[in-house]
Amino acid sequence: MNAVSIRPADEMRDLYRELILDHARNPRHFHKLDAATHTAEGINPLCGDKLRLYVAVDDNDVITAAAFEGSGCAISVASASLLTDLVTGLSKQQALDCFAEVTGRLTAPDEYESRDIGVNLDKIRALDGVRDYPSRVKCATLAWHALSSAVRGQSDTVSTE
Amino acid sequence: MSQPQAQARPDVADCRRDFPALDQQVSGHPLAYLDNAASSQQPQSVIDAVARYHREDHANVHRGVHTLSHRATEAFEGARDKLRDFINAASRNEIVLTSGTTEGINLVAQSYCRPRLGAGDEILITHLEHHSNIVPWQQVCEQTGASLVVAPINERGEVELDQFLGLLSEKTRFVAISHVSNALGTINPATDIIAAAKERGIPVLLDGAQAVPHMAVDVQALGCDFYAFSGHKMFGPTGTGVLYGRESLLDAMPPWQGGGDMILEVSFDGTTYNELPYKFEAGTPNISGVVGLGAAVDYLVDVGLDRIAGHEEQLLGYMTQRLGDLPDVRLIGTARNKASVQSFIVGDIHPHDLGTILDHQGVAIRTGHHCAMPVMDYFGVPGTARASLALYNTEGDVDQLVTAIEKAQRLFA
């Protein structure tokens, strides 16, 4: 390997940040959730990403557990992994607020007006790099669309196409 | 096929300078365009022909008495003659101009097969096909009650000829196969398959989309009944294509769409259809695109299909060897008889991630299922990375690809 030529690949570090690569290599909550009360599948036909998201919601509308399984690119898997970390302990409404916040920021960063939803989204900012890669935004938002569909009780398959 | 100026070009790859789109930087790197199986770039002569047509000659074809309409018709029909020569069809009546391979296959499915097939009949395809050579036959099967039979492939991505021939039976009413696989580059044993089908009187369609830019095609020598291909994979404009059909078969087929240009006489009591090939060309065609496609044929003939095939064979060998030498790279599709394409997987890097990282280094490849999901299923992968060559590619493009893959491996290490 040629040490001198490593540098240009570092330009990709804005997209493939260490946090993203870590979650892609070692996705959290990456399993079926038997206790799930809601589930939905997300499909991105462009690259073949296919994730199933599970959430368990208690009687107080609080998400007590979240998990996912399936296969996809590093961006979609890392995004799903970060999602499951984040939404555990949130109310259904807060989870939907997160969905609006994340998809708004990634798909329409210029128009979307961020608002305080009382959830720390700092880690999710690791996904911001996809905004420079229009074909990859759908990878980053796939699990979030599945979350929205699951929490709303629409257990259908959602597609980013 | 004549190659009048073949001697004037010492090296096929010198053709690179004829393609203005290749002369650019992407992400600060020279563009290495290796996505030709999806769509090829256009030489200046094609761009000029289309521009000149728009600037000087545009009018509707086959209709007007005025000068521009006459010029447009001459340019359009002139391209049809070039295309007839290009694939050595017996008659210009056998050259139906379409929007692309997909339309050609759908035309045959709906106009030839649908009226003839019923329950118990079979259409035979292979496991290698592009979705456009699967779905139209599935639709005909739904419409008629016929069954779709799929011939298997082996781990190299080759159709098992013995098994294919074993699937031909008195039930088989139609055979549709790719000449060259888009996902893997496998060249199918078309002549053997056609000969066996002919013995049983079964018509054969070849999907030639991936063949025509890479090798000389002679439909009479092949003996196929239908041959469909696209303009934009052979250096012509998008939205153009050809369906070659044996004249006796086309004659017996009903029109596939109704409209202007496909009729001789219309009254409310009935309509007399136009003669071949116009019977299948309803509505105003893609005139400028076809003019450009004619220029693309001129270009290919000028460079010489045999020389192109030789250049690409050498380059494919180089690319396959360089990719195969990389650690942790799995080659998908290792047929003994191949053209232009190498699919591969790099470790556990998802093809889509690889595509983005390569793009960042100026390397354009296709990633995903390549509209051939059954092929991906066979190899147990969600998709592959696919590098596909054209006449203008060089060893330098391949080297740039390999360097970019090594960088992706370091990023994901």
Side-chain angles (χ1 to χ4, degrees):
Chain A
M1 300 225 175
N2 180 353
V4 181
S5 60
I6 289 175
R7 191 146 204 84
D10 289 347
E11 296 162 21
M12 299 269 18
R13 286 286 175 193
D14 200 37
L15 179 61
Y16 295 103
R17 296 177 197 182
E18 206 43 63
L19 186 68
I20 300 287
L21 290 174
D22 175 41
H23 277 260
R25 284 189 198 105
N26 308 298
R28 323 294 198 262
H29 315 290
F30 188 57
H31 53 78
K32 188 167 189 268
L33 187 64
D34 289 331
T37 53
H38 299 62
T39 178
E41 186 175 54
I43 292 178
N44 180 352
L46 181 67
C47 53
D49 295 338
K50 195 172 175 183
L51 304 174
R52 177 160 286 282
L53 189 77
Y54 303 94
V55 288
V57 180
D58 70 10
D59 293 342
N60 301 315
D61 271 358
V62 171
I63 296 171
T64 54
F68 76 107
E69 58 183 357
S71 68
C73 64
I75 303 293
S76 65
V77 170
S79 181
S81 174
L82 287 163
L83 179 156
T84 54
D85 257 355
L86 184 83
V87 300
T88 305
L90 299 186
S91 70
K92 275 169 72 172
Q93 186 53 49
Q94 282 177 311
L96 290 173
D97 288 345
C98 291
F99 161 75
E101 194 68 19
V102 172
T103 53
R105 238 183 29 215
L106 294 182
T107 56
D110 296 336
E111 293 101 68
Y112 187 76
E113 285 187 31
S114 210
R115 56 195 189 90
D116 184 9
I117 58 170
V119 179
N120 184 346
L121 292 170
D122 284 354
K123 277 192 175 177
I124 306 298
R125 292 190 188 282
L127 294 168
D128 285 356
V130 302
R131 292 186 297 204
D132 293 331
Y133 300 86
S135 67
R136 305 307 302 276
V137 170
K138 287 174 177 171
C139 308
T141 58
L142 181 65
W144 297 88
H145 283 285
L147 171 73
S148 159
S149 177
V151 168
R152 290 192 166 104
Q154 303 152 340
S155 289
D156 303 299
T157 296
V158 294
S159 166
T160 56
E161 287 300 291
Chain B
M1 212 160 290
S2 65
Q3 299 171 20
Q5 295 175 34
Q7 287 83 10
R9 295 179 184 277
D11 185 355
V12 174
D14 284 349
C15 298
R16 190 181 188 87
R17 64 176 71 110
D18 298 332
F19 293 78
L22 298 176
D23 182 24
Q24 64 175 301
Q25 303 258 315
V26 170
S27 302
H29 299 267
L31 170 63
Y33 189 80
L34 295 168
D35 193 21
N36 296 287
S39 200
S40 52
Q41 301 298 337
Q42 295 177 20
Q44 190 65 48
S45 61
V46 169
I47 297 167
D48 287 346
V50 173
R52 189 184 323 111
Y53 168 81
H54 281 303
R55 217 165 40 231
E56 300 170 8
D57 302 330
H58 172 66
N60 213 327
V61 290
H62 307 142
R63 286 171 178 76
V65 294
H66 58 78
T67 302
L68 265 58
S69 177
H70 182 64
R71 276 195 224 143
T73 303
E74 292 230 308
F76 183 77
E77 292 302 326
R80 191 191 310 273
D81 289 327
K82 290 174 186 178
L83 288 156
R84 186 203 73 76
D85 283 347
F86 182 60
I87 59 168
N88 193 33
S91 157
R92 70 192 314 279
N93 295 348
E94 299 179 323
I95 303 295
V96 178
L97 294 163
T98 65
S99 64
T101 307
T102 298
E103 188 185 19
I105 295 173
N106 277 278
L107 192 164
V108 175
Q110 290 301 312
S111 181
Y112 183 82
C113 289
R114 189 175 182 181
R116 286 171 176 77
L117 269 55
D121 292 336
E122 292 177 353
I123 298 171
L124 179 57
I125 65 171
T126 81
H127 202 113
L128 271 182
E129 303 309 316
H130 187 283
H131 294 164
S132 65
N133 202 25
I134 300 173
V135 181
W137 309 117
Q138 287 176 327
Q139 290 176 311
V140 166
C141 288
E142 272 176 29
Q143 291 157 345
T144 62
S147 308
L148 191 63
V149 178
V150 182
I153 53 176
N154 62 27
E155 71 284 353
R156 284 187 297 270
E158 296 165 324
V159 172
E160 295 278 14
L161 185 60
D162 288 349
Q163 295 191 47
F164 187 98
L165 299 180
L167 290 169
L168 286 173
S169 74
E170 67 282 355
K171 292 181 186 170
T172 314
R173 299 290 307 277
F174 200 81
V175 169
I177 57 168
S178 49
H179 196 178
V180 175
S181 151
N182 76 303
L184 305 181
T186 309
I187 301 176
N188 278 323
T191 42
D192 292 333
I193 287 172
I194 292 165
K198 261 188 159 171
E199 273 181 29
R200 292 176 170 273
I202 305 164
V204 178
L205 174 141
L206 289 188
D207 166 358
Q210 298 295 342
V212 285
H214 306 297
M215 61 182 77
V217 169
D218 181 332
V219 290
Q220 294 190 75
L222 282 165
C224 58
D225 299 282
F226 297 100
Y227 195 98
F229 60 99
S230 297
H232 74 100
K233 294 188 201 288
M234 52 175 280
F235 318 109
T238 53
T240 63
V242 170
L243 173 70
Y244 158 81
R246 196 184 290 283
E247 188 161 2
S248 56
L249 298 185
L250 290 179
D251 255 336
M253 289 158 58
W256 116 277
Q257 290 178 322
D261 231 24
M262 52 77 72
I263 51 86
L264 284 180
E265 194 174 4
V266 175
S267 77
F268 290 116
D269 297 326
T271 293
T272 311
Y273 300 130
N274 205 339
E275 59 199 22
L276 288 176
Y278 311 107
K279 181 171 84 173
F280 293 108
E281 296 178 2
T284 296
N286 181 356
I287 308 168
S288 64
V290 168
V291 169
L293 180 54
V297 169
D298 287 342
Y299 185 84
L300 278 164
V301 170
D302 180 21
V303 178
L305 265 304
D306 292 338
R307 296 175 69 235
I308 292 168
H311 168 73
E312 290 182 2
E313 187 181 355
Q314 184 272 327
L315 196 53
L316 180 63
Y318 179 73
M319 181 163 76
T320 305
Q321 189 206 328
R322 291 290 323 265
L323 291 173
D325 285 347
L326 284 170
D328 223 13
V329 167
R330 175 185 171 198
L331 301 179
I332 307 274
T334 49
R336 286 158 289 193
N337 198 11
K338 279 185 67 173
S340 161
V341 169
Q342 186 60 58
S343 261
F344 57 97
I345 291 185
V346 179
D348 56 3
I349 304 177
H350 192 281
H352 210 186
D353 294 313
L354 185 69
T356 296
I357 298 166
L358 263 53
D359 175 56
H360 215 72
Q361 294 166 82
V363 179
I365 59 160
R366 172 86 184 265
T367 61
H369 53 61
H370 317 299
C371 297
M373 291 172 89
V375 176
M376 302 298 117
D377 288 343
Y378 175 85
F379 287 100
V381 295
T384 69
R386 179 188 70 182
S388 54
L389 304 168
L391 57 91
Y392 40 61
N393 288 119
T394 63
E395 291 192 357
D397 292 327
V398 174
D399 294 341
Q400 196 175 331
L401 167 71
V402 169
T403 302
I405 293 170
E406 288 171 338
K407 285 176 181 168
Q409 288 179 315
R410 284 198 290 274
L411 186 71
F412 273 75

